[in-house]
Amino acid sequence: QDIYHDADGVGEVERVFLAPADFDELLDQGRPIVVGELGFGTGLNFAVLSRHCLARGVPLHFVSFEVAPIAPADFRQLVAARRATEPVYAELSHLYPPLLPGWHRRSLAGGSIQLSLYWGSAAEGLKHLGRQRQAMDLWLLDGFAPDRNPDMWSAELLAAIAGTATRGSRVTTFTSAGRVRRGLAAAGFQMRRVDQRPHKRESLAGTFTGTGLAAHGRPERVSVVGAGIAGAAMARNLAEQGVTVQVLEAEREPATGASSIPATVMHPRLHHDGSAPATLKATAYAHAVAATRSLDYGAETGLRRTGALQIPSANFPAERLALVAERYGPTGLGVELVDAQTAREIAGDRRLLLDGPALWFPDACVVDTPRFTRTLLDHPRIEVQTGPRLRDWPVQPTVLACGMAARDLTGAAVLELGTVTGQLDLVPRGESPLSNLSVPLTGRGYLAPMDAATVGVGATYEYEPWPAEEASAANLKHVQRLLGDAYDPNGRSTEFTKAVRCVSSDRNPVVGPLVSLEGNEDSHRLVSVGHGSMGTVSSHLAASLVSATLTGQFEPLEPHLLALIASARFRDRQARRGYRFGAES
């Protein structure tokens, strides 16, 4: 029982939100701007602002909250007609987040547009903006009328908005209700009524008159130590936001260590229990799918969007796969339970011994990790320097993405990191059902089609390195389980690649600022390590989190999930049990 938007929605955005805020004057300043919004809806405000910013070459970070988000499939259908007038919709329709509660950050237009969406109540999401050091330039309050949606207009919520402002920050809103005007005035905004006749009588606009947040500049140059997948994703994210990045690699070339594996699968190991680790994995996968969509798919880039099938295994029996599909299928994340016959048809050969249901992930990718790493590093703002191992911190802000070597630098010895060796075998397709395999099969190990002649089979998980022959035998058993008598592993001549993965003691990545013995975060010394065998998934979210810290933005992840990956967890743990190996420094 309220007006959702005018028949001329674009005109209404200009008239109600942009003109009263003198948005053109903001654009004239030529600096990156940050806009907050209550009520994302169909994303029309975002689309119109993006068009203006792109036309003027002004970077935009748009932060929005929505308690009742539109389902992804419905969103794509809804905005299809708007692409002609609002071009950002063409990209947003593919990057629109699944219905997973919490934060989702998306990068559009080559990184010049950043979108942070919170699926949940604005009151809850605004609490997380306490880490935002870059002030909001403009707030668009686009909720329904206060008498129909009182939670969005509370004094506490308006005060939280003011907490993100600096002197001169602006606010505009469709409503002209007196309680809203008085609430914003009490929060520190000097308010005025805006004549909106003949469309409606009035709207409101205002300017923040308090001191608010101090100006925060982003670094011009950042060092990233390590040119594997984690370092490359980090460098690419920063470079697309206008930061010059120096990548320091101790080896003779990029993509060594775990990033040297020529065939991996960008696929999540989802859990159905709703726990924090399960939520983290689902969010990271959704982020990785979106982060890689702007890159060209193909052998040249090292990234092929094939989809992937997860088949039942001892740890993930069919019943558990069904629960995963039940939890995540309705969200639009991209996971579906298919029967055995459908799975065989998707895989490309009916002779495969797929006797039970499987999970189908249509957005999963086969990744040639070395090639993909080089693709990420191919950016005019990224300089790769190879040479001796770094022994001391560079002067400029620095991110350690160098696995175990991170512990060599001051303040990082506290990180509880170890290694696990993995081997991938390159198996000829031959005349077996492997000749038709078109998508990766994951479960107990994985099979990844590499080219017309070869399938990658892996990958072992060796706490102590195995002899190569033993690792090959273990990998080839994966193939035989799927092919039965149609495949004889004996006498198979295979090539293989061994690599060492860096893992943390609790198997979660380690992402964000290092923390001193006194518990203080160092926003100039950060890490992205411990990704283990999931680096192709988790490195992209890690890059977004770390670049947010460096550029003065809030990290797009709920606090309880940030705690899972923060380096502070090792400080807290060792403070209780005692420091070892010099980690108290």
Side-chain angles (χ1 to χ4, degrees), residues 64-67 69 97-106 116-121 124-125 128 279 283 554-561:
S64 189
F65 305 81
E66 181 57 65
V67 72
L99 302 187
L100 301 173
W103 284 106
H104 302 274
R105 183 162 292 170
R106 298 292 183 260
S116 296
L117 289 174
Y118 184 79
W119 292 159
S121 75
E124 183 62 31
H128 308 156
T279 303
T283 302
F554 70 95
E555 296 87 348
L557 201 64
E558 290 87 321
H560 73 289
L561 300 181

Side-chain angles (χ1 to χ4, degrees), residues 480-539:
Q480 192 172 33
R481 273 193 293 268
L482 289 166
L483 305 186
D485 295 338
Y487 185 83
D488 180 8
N490 294 321
R492 283 277 173 174
S493 175
T494 66
E495 299 178 29
F496 66 87
T497 300
K498 268 192 182 292
V500 176
R501 312 178 184 100
C502 175
V503 298
S504 71
S505 58
D506 58 13
R507 296 303 184 265
N508 289 323
V510 190
V511 180
L514 289 173
V515 178
S516 70
L517 191 62
E518 295 75 27
N520 300 317
E521 286 188 356
D522 190 337
S523 59
H524 281 64
R525 295 180 175 183
L526 307 99
V527 295
S528 175
V529 294
H531 295 278
S533 58
M534 295 298 291
T536 55
V537 172
S538 56
S539 290

Side-chain angles (χ1 to χ4, degrees), residues 21 34 55 87 101 129 135 219 252-253 275 285 362 420 427 472 505 523 526 536 566 583:
V34 187
L129 266 61
R252 289 181 293 180
E253 59 183 8
S275 64
Y285 176 63
V420 173
V427 178
S472 292
S505 58
S523 59
L526 307 99
T536 55

Side-chain angles (χ1 to χ4, degrees), residues 405-477:
R407 298 184 74 253
D408 295 340
L409 273 71
T410 303
V414 71
L415 305 179
E416 297 178 6
L417 301 175
T419 60
V420 173
T421 301
Q423 178 171 312
L424 175 85
D425 283 85
L426 309 182
V427 178
R429 289 178 179 263
E431 298 300 322
S432 73
L434 288 182
S435 61
N436 300 319
L437 185 67
S438 57
V439 306
L441 302 178
T442 71
R444 186 175 178 183
Y446 65 86
L447 277 69
M450 296 175 63
D451 53 40
T454 310
V455 171
V457 182
T460 58
Y461 209 77
E462 309 166 24
Y463 291 99
E464 294 291 337
W466 302 347
E469 298 80 5
E470 183 179 335
S472 292
N475 280 335
L476 292 174
K477 285 182 180 178

Side-chain angles (χ1 to χ4, degrees), residues 20-268:
D22 199 358
F23 191 65
D24 281 339
E25 190 274 333
L26 265 181
L27 295 176
D28 288 340
Q29 298 177 24
R31 59 175 178 81
I33 62 174
V34 187
V35 176
E37 176 193 49
L38 301 187
F40 185 73
T42 65
L44 186 58
N45 292 337
F46 166 70
V48 174
L49 265 71
S50 296
R51 170 165 48 82
H52 282 286
C53 289
L54 289 170
R56 299 283 292 275
V58 175
L60 168 67
H61 182 195
F62 193 91
V63 182
S64 189
F65 305 81
E66 181 57 65
V67 72
I70 299 168
D74 294 336
F75 184 84
R76 286 190 290 271
Q77 187 174 14
L78 187 68
V79 304
R82 295 181 178 174
R83 297 177 186 177
T85 55
E86 305 302 335
V88 78
Y89 272 126
E91 191 172 6
L92 179 58
S93 64
H94 295 295
L95 302 183
Y96 185 82
L99 302 187
L100 301 173
W103 284 106
H104 302 274
R105 183 162 292 170
R106 298 292 183 260
S107 179
L108 299 93
S112 60
I113 304 292
Q114 299 286 319
L115 173 62
S116 296
L117 289 174
Y118 184 79
W119 292 159
S121 75
E124 183 62 31
L126 276 165
K127 295 177 184 177
H128 308 156
L129 266 61
R131 294 177 66 89
Q132 177 82 8
R133 292 171 291 159
Q134 195 174 15
M136 295 286 186
D137 296 290
L138 169 64
W139 273 99
L140 314 177
L141 308 187
D142 197 14
F144 289 107
D147 59 340
R148 295 180 174 88
N149 192 16
D151 291 346
M152 194 177 279
W153 306 98
S154 68
E156 294 79 12
L157 188 145
L158 298 180
I161 288 173
T164 70
T166 192
R167 185 178 294 276
S169 293
R170 305 153 197 208
V171 62
T172 52
T173 176
F174 182 85
T175 185
S176 60
R179 58 176 285 194
V180 173
R181 177 171 51 81
R182 292 188 295 271
L184 286 166
F189 289 91
Q190 183 177 336
M191 301 302 299
R192 70 183 189 278
R193 296 181 177 90
V194 180
D195 189 347
Q196 292 288 346
R197 293 174 293 185
H199 305 280
K200 62 172 293 190
R201 185 175 178 182
E202 295 173 335
S203 65
L204 293 175
T207 304
F208 191 70
T209 58
T211 303
L213 295 176
H216 179 85
R218 62 177 56 202
E220 294 184 1
R221 190 175 181 86
V222 170
S223 290
V224 173
V225 184
I229 184 71
M234 184 69 60
R236 184 63 175 239
N237 190 294
L238 287 165
E240 288 185 345
Q241 295 188 61
V243 178
T244 299
V245 185
Q246 179 189 42
V247 178
L248 305 173
E249 172 55 56
E251 301 296 334
R252 289 181 293 180
E253 59 183 8
T256 58
S259 297
S260 65
I261 296 291
T264 56
V265 184
M266 193 185 85
H267 161 267

